Amino acid sequence: MKTLAALTLCLVVLMATGFPFERKGGSASGGAAKERRVQYAPWDEVNVIAHGLLQLGQGLKEHVDKTKAQMRDISATLKVFNRTVNEMGKESQRLRVEGEALKGRARGLEDREGQLLNVTAELREKAEEMQRERKTMSERMSRLEERVNSMLQGADARNSSDARNIQLMLEAQNRRIDDLMERIGLQQEKLDKQNVRIRTLQSQIQQSRQRPSSRSSNTNGSEHSGVAEQRDSPFEMASDCHELFLSGETTSGVYTIQPRNTKPFNVFCEITADGGWTVIQRRQDGSVDFDQLWQAYEKGFGSLNGEFWLGLEKIHSIVKDGGYILNIKFSDWEDDTTSVRLPFQLGGEETKYSIQVQEAGTFSTLESSLGPDATSGLSFSTSDQDNDQKNDTNCAKHLSGGWWFSNCGHSNLNGRYFQCPPPKQRHQRKQGIFWKSWRGRYYPLKSSVMMIAPAVIETSHKE
């Protein structure tokens, strides 16, 4: 408004000074002729005024353009705000729907948990009843034995048939007690399985309740790193991954364990329906060089979330008490897979970490690449520790990596990683990852995973 007022004032001044005006006056005699004089504004003043008007117009134009730009920015900001509000409304609606679904699932799991608890209580009562019956039968047996002993001491030939009948009764009672003991054992196994399932369901319920809060934190800007990151276990001092499974863990990933008489360390746990497997080796992309010396293979190397070797010291600390299964999985470049399971023992540093496979019948073709050679023990070898069974050759130096070599030709899962297609030269291909009884010595495999677990997991696998 001030700018418009200034412009109007300037126009008025221009009109007043830019046009001529008349100036009247009288003569001394009072009757003389009138003189008319005309005056004009100077040209410089007109130029100054015009220049001022031009500057004023330019300023007005710039002000108008700036105002328009500000209006456009405000309009764009309002549009972005409206879109953000709409997206937040949709996301909020989706989270509400997911929350209701999770609540329903949690209620279902709680109902199922209640049913399982009821079944467990019934089984426990039945087992207690069997225990009481067993105790009663034992007491009856004791009384019968006393009667038999007294009858045998004072019996004559006429009572011999009665003693025989009593002996038959005792044998029948013994068989019945054996049957009851077997039934009690079966019931106890069912109770143990029910307890494991209950703990698993409780863990699922807890995860279902915690999941909405984790989703909210992700919406506010936090990132979720996936199953590869380390998790907190309810029993941080478990001795292996199977104990974590029994405590309720259901997700594969990195955990902390502590075998007996050792310090805690991290491992990657593969959680399956059968139990928890501790992964000791993984080959998948060639990102880690496995051509390492003895100390590296003893301590371990690589990344638990990628390729790695856990370390002979750590593996021995887990399996030193015996009763473990070695589970090896392979894949070729056509994505065909297979696996082999071998019961084994692993010696300590004094035995050069000798592996001994327990022979249970005849080894299958797939098992023959390691089993027959390792029944009497195979020490671990590297290029700087020649402990193989071939006298004239260091298998680890001749091939690559570290392994339980016999005569260099049956297996080596720690060899060089060759991308597809493999090298054409035969002497190079035999340095790769191979399992002779599956794809042959000169076929470099695409991946391998080695896992260990207590032998009890084999029983649940067969069931």
Side-chain angles (χ1 to χ4, degrees):
M1 293 299 292
K2 292 181 179 180
T3 304
L4 293 176
L7 178 60
T8 304
L9 181 59
C10 290
L11 290 175
V12 171
V13 172
L14 179 62
M15 291 176 65
T17 58
F19 296 95
F21 62 88
E22 294 183 356
R23 192 172 184 179
K24 298 179 181 180
S27 65
S29 60
K34 297 179 181 179
E35 181 181 357
R36 179 177 298 174
R37 300 178 62 185
V38 179
Q39 293 184 353
Y40 296 90
W43 183 253
D44 293 339
E45 295 179 0
V46 173
N47 286 335
V48 171
I49 294 173
H51 184 67
L53 290 174
L54 288 174
Q55 290 182 343
L56 181 62
Q58 184 66 27
L60 286 173
K61 184 176 181 301
E62 292 177 354
H63 180 72
V64 170
D65 293 339
K66 184 177 180 181
T67 304
K68 289 181 178 179
Q70 291 176 348
M71 292 297 293
R72 285 194 297 269
D73 292 341
I74 292 172
S75 178
T77 304
L78 287 174
K79 290 181 180 178
V80 172
F81 178 76
N82 289 334
R83 285 197 300 269
T84 303
V85 170
N86 291 333
E87 291 175 358
M88 290 180 65
K90 293 179 182 179
E91 182 69 15
S92 207
Q93 180 65 25
R94 185 180 66 81
L95 289 174
R96 281 197 298 270
V97 172
E98 290 183 358
E100 292 297 329
L102 288 172
K103 289 180 181 178
R105 184 180 177 187
R107 287 193 294 269
L109 289 172
E110 289 176 350
D111 295 340
R112 187 177 178 185
E113 180 187 9
Q115 295 174 0
L116 287 173
L117 289 174
N118 292 334
V119 172
T120 302
E122 293 176 0
L123 290 173
R124 187 176 291 108
E125 291 177 358
K126 190 172 183 180
E128 292 175 353
E129 183 180 353
M130 288 183 175
Q131 292 285 357
R132 290 193 296 270
E133 185 176 354
R134 177 188 175 188
K135 184 177 180 180
T136 304
M137 293 298 297
S138 298
E139 293 175 354
R140 292 180 61 186
M141 283 290 298
S142 299
R143 291 195 296 269
L144 284 172
E145 287 177 355
E146 292 176 358
R147 291 178 59 186
V148 168
N149 290 332
S150 61
M151 290 179 65
L152 289 176
Q153 291 176 358
D156 52 11
R158 292 176 301 177
N159 296 329
S160 60
S161 59
D162 294 336
R164 177 60 181 169
N165 291 333
I166 293 175
Q167 288 179 349
L168 292 175
M169 290 175 60
L170 288 174
E171 292 175 358
Q173 292 290 348
N174 287 331
R175 287 194 297 270
R176 186 177 179 185
I177 290 174
D178 292 338
D179 292 338
L180 286 173
M181 291 296 296
E182 185 177 356
R183 290 172 60 188
I184 290 172
L186 293 174
Q187 293 294 338
Q188 187 63 43
E189 290 182 3
K190 291 181 180 179
L191 282 172
D192 293 338
K193 291 181 180 179
Q194 290 290 347
N195 288 331
V196 172
R197 291 174 182 171
I198 288 171
R199 286 194 293 269
T200 303
L201 286 172
Q202 289 174 341
S203 176
Q204 291 176 353
I205 291 172
Q206 184 177 4
Q207 291 177 358
S208 298
R209 290 173 176 172
Q210 294 176 351
R211 197 169 296 156
S213 60
S214 64
R215 288 178 179 270
S216 300
S217 62
N218 288 337
T219 304
N220 292 331
S222 64
E223 295 181 356
H224 181 62
S225 59
V227 297
E229 65 182 7
Q230 182 172 347
R231 302 169 176 84
D232 293 328
S233 170
F235 299 97
E236 294 181 357
M237 295 298 106
S239 62
D240 61 14
C241 293
H242 190 62
E243 283 192 9
L244 288 170
F245 167 79
L246 293 177
S247 69
E249 292 294 346
T250 59
T251 306
S252 300
V254 178
Y255 295 88
T256 301
I257 65 171
Q258 184 178 20
R260 184 171 56 87
N261 298 329
T262 61
K263 294 181 180 180
F265 56 87
N266 291 341
V267 295
F268 190 95
C269 294
E270 187 72 27
I271 307 298
T272 66
D274 301 331
W277 292 87
T278 306
V279 181
I280 64 173
Q281 183 251 34
R282 184 188 293 122
R283 306 294 303 276
Q284 61 187 16
D285 54 19
S287 59
V288 175
D289 182 10
F290 272 65
D291 193 12
Q292 302 283 341
L293 301 181
W294 177 265
Q295 186 176 7
Y297 271 99
E298 190 174 35
K299 301 299 181 182
F301 55 87
S303 170
L304 291 176
N305 290 319
E307 291 195 336
F308 71 93
W309 174 261
L310 183 61
L312 294 167
E313 281 185 348
K314 295 175 182 176
I315 299 171
H316 175 255
S317 69
I318 297 173
V319 305
K320 61 179 178 291
D321 294 330
Y324 269 75
I325 298 291
L326 175 62
N327 184 12
I328 308 175
K329 296 182 178 181
F330 322 97
S331 72
D332 60 18
W333 290 96
E334 295 180 356
D335 291 328
D336 290 334
T337 60
T338 190
S339 63
V340 57
R341 294 190 180 190
L342 296 168
F344 81 107
Q345 294 179 348
L346 186 69
E349 182 182 8
E350 68 281 0
T351 69
K352 302 299 182 182
Y353 301 102
S354 173
I355 187 172
Q356 184 176 7
V357 174
Q358 300 173 8
E359 185 175 5
T362 304
F363 288 106
S364 67
T365 302
L366 195 61
E367 296 170 341
S368 64
S369 287
L370 181 63
D373 294 330
T375 53
S376 57
L378 282 177
S379 296
F380 199 85
S381 293
T382 59
S383 59
D384 61 335
Q385 285 269 5
D386 185 7
N387 302 315
D388 57 57
Q389 296 182 351
K390 197 171 181 64
N391 295 329
D392 57 345
T393 304
N394 183 337
C395 294
K397 185 179 294 185
H398 179 62
L399 300 177
S400 182
W403 189 249
W404 294 281
F405 293 106
S406 56
N407 62 354
C408 304
H410 289 168
S411 63
N412 180 17
L413 298 183
N414 291 331
R416 294 177 60 188
Y417 191 93
F418 291 117
Q419 300 287 347
C420 188
K424 294 182 179 180
Q425 290 77 13
R426 193 175 183 183
H427 71 278
Q428 289 183 340
R429 293 201 307 272
K430 70 180 181 181
Q431 295 180 348
I433 308 169
F434 70 90
W435 192 265
K436 184 178 179 180
S437 59
W438 189 45
R439 289 291 183 261
R441 182 183 181 187
Y442 301 102
Y443 184 97
L445 298 176
K446 181 179 180 181
S447 69
S448 71
V449 179
M450 299 174 63
M451 304 178 289
I452 56 175
V456 66
I457 202 172
E458 189 72 9
T459 304
S460 60
H461 173 72
K462 291 179 180 179
E463 290 179 357

